[in-house]
Amino acid sequence: MTETEANCRAREILDRVGDKWSVVVLYQLSTGTMRFTELLRAIPGISQRMLTVALRGLERDGLVRRTVHPVIPPHVDYVGVHGSPSSSQVRELADTVVRSGRSGPMDPPSGPKVVMVQA
């Protein structure tokens, strides 16, 4: 795979999970099937609206499957879709992001430092 192909593949994956909540939702769903309210409780700081938007986008991209059970009150389950190469890569990315967030702030990149001087 050439560098250009790798960059295109990375761009495709980042486009799918580029918003703030999608990676966290995928990470939660990696443990198994969850209902909407379970996801809402499991993800601190997410609103109902943002969870809905994230789930709809992930479902549209084929990374989450939504199952509606014909009962009253409505019962809807969400589960991460496994099997496709892109879904496994996205899950690896989600795991990495969540693990790095738990370990504390990331180290700044090494390299030349730029110092701004006001005249």
Side-chain angles (χ1 to χ4, degrees):
M1 179 182 296
T2 68
E3 186 175 339
T4 303
E5 289 171 333
N7 287 341
C8 289
R9 189 78 180 133
R11 180 83 244 150
E12 179 184 328
I13 292 168
L14 289 173
D15 285 345
R16 289 183 177 217
V17 294
D19 66 86
K20 179 178 179 180
W21 297 109
S22 291
V23 172
V24 180
V25 171
L26 280 175
Y27 181 77
Q28 286 297 327
L29 289 174
S30 69
T31 63
T33 302
M34 296 181 82
R35 294 181 69 179
F36 184 88
T37 53
E38 292 173 323
L39 281 167
L40 196 59
R41 282 189 221 115
I43 304 171
I46 194 168
S47 67
Q48 285 184 346
R49 169 150 169 55
M50 291 313 302
L51 179 55
T52 300
V53 168
L55 285 167
R56 284 182 184 162
L58 292 168
E59 183 181 11
R60 179 195 65 231
D61 292 336
L63 297 170
V64 168
R65 185 174 49 241
R66 179 178 184 258
T67 305
V68 180
H69 302 277
V71 295
I72 297 176
H75 179 115
V76 180
D77 290 327
Y78 295 91
V79 65
V81 176
H82 303 283
S84 73
S86 62
S87 68
S88 63
Q89 290 172 332
V90 168
R91 277 182 184 63
E92 288 176 28
L93 175 64
D95 289 342
T96 302
V97 168
V98 171
R99 271 188 266 115
S100 68
R102 287 184 179 158
S103 65
M106 293 174 45
D107 293 330
S110 60
K113 294 185 178 182
V114 177
V115 179
M116 301 292 283
V117 179
Q118 290 184 344

